Amino acid sequence: KRIVTDGKEGARRVAIYYAGGAKVQEIGTSEREIKGAAHYYAVAGARWFGGSCAALGVVEGSIVHERDLERLLRQQDPRTGELLPNNGTKRAKVAAFDLTISVPKELSICYLMADAKTQKVIYEIIEEANRSALEYAQTYGSKVRRGKDGIVPLSSDGFIVPQTFHPAARPVDGKTAPSLHFHNPILNMA
């Protein structure tokens, strides 16, 4: 099946095609979970995404630093470490929701067998599809509700997400398998 990948509309089609591999996992607020998540997601090349980046002093597209991510997972200012205001409500019990976007195994194998130039092209297509999926999720899913039972809807600047690319799955019995995927832990704050 041929997928046209020209421009944003093409990237959207790729995102929809590959989103069959999307899943969501909660990241808790215990110190162990926060430290582990910050270390795992702030790997080389991870970059910030989202409309809330500027409000939190983070430059969208810049490199993710482990200390900054750890602070944000704790709902602290990434620059000062001070607790961010929460409008008097209870603190979240979930620090983030990891939206993982994976591609079919066949594409992962092609990527690993390809030359550097072809790998770069495949990566750029997957990265654009991931970004398109995040833009869609941010547009339609970045909602805030306050008050008793969340009945008061408020506007939001959008997400803050460290986008992290991994070319392989975690090792099982000491063996890794090709599995191109992006982790997108959407921080649970507004």
Side-chain angles (χ1 to χ4, degrees):
K1 180 176 178 181
R2 184 172 183 267
I3 301 174
V4 178
T5 59
D6 297 333
K8 282 200 173 248
E9 189 54 37
R12 274 191 196 84
R13 284 196 296 274
V14 170
I16 290 166
Y17 178 75
Y18 290 131
K23 73 173 193 173
V24 177
Q25 180 178 337
E26 292 181 357
I27 300 167
T29 57
S30 73
E31 192 60 24
R32 182 173 170 249
E33 287 173 295
I34 286 172
K35 283 193 169 295
H39 182 72
Y40 184 71
Y41 296 121
V43 297
R47 300 208 175 262
W48 289 109
F49 165 87
S52 289
C53 287
L56 293 165
V58 173
V59 176
E60 185 171 12
S62 67
I63 297 290
V64 174
H65 297 286
E66 191 170 334
R67 184 202 71 179
D68 296 343
L69 178 54
E70 199 172 304
R71 284 180 172 176
L72 284 167
L73 287 166
R74 286 192 191 105
Q75 297 186 348
Q76 297 172 335
D77 185 301
R79 297 160 294 186
T80 66
E82 292 179 25
L83 202 57
L84 293 167
N86 71 346
N87 298 324
T89 60
K90 293 181 191 175
R91 292 280 166 191
K93 291 187 168 83
V94 176
F97 298 91
D98 182 4
L99 173 61
T100 304
I101 306 288
S102 302
V103 302
K105 184 72 75 186
E106 295 84 2
L107 184 58
S108 296
I109 292 168
C110 288
Y111 173 87
L112 291 176
M113 294 175 63
D115 60 66
K117 184 178 176 184
T118 305
Q119 282 184 339
K120 184 176 186 278
V121 170
I122 292 170
Y123 172 81
E124 288 170 352
I125 291 169
I126 297 167
E127 182 181 43
E128 182 61 30
N130 183 68
R131 184 170 185 78
S132 185
L134 282 175
E135 287 170 353
Y136 181 87
Q138 179 172 253
T139 299
Y140 297 102
S142 178
K143 308 295 181 205
V144 178
R145 297 183 315 164
R146 296 275 192 231
K148 184 171 171 55
D149 298 324
I151 61 168
V152 181
L154 299 173
S155 63
S156 165
D157 291 331
F159 293 153
I160 183 162
V161 180
Q163 301 175 89
T164 306
F165 175 72
H166 288 153
R170 291 183 186 178
V172 175
D173 296 329
K175 297 176 184 167
T176 58
S179 177
L180 302 179
H181 60 282
F182 269 92
H183 286 283
N184 302 288
I186 301 166
L187 278 61
N188 188 19
M189 55 177 51

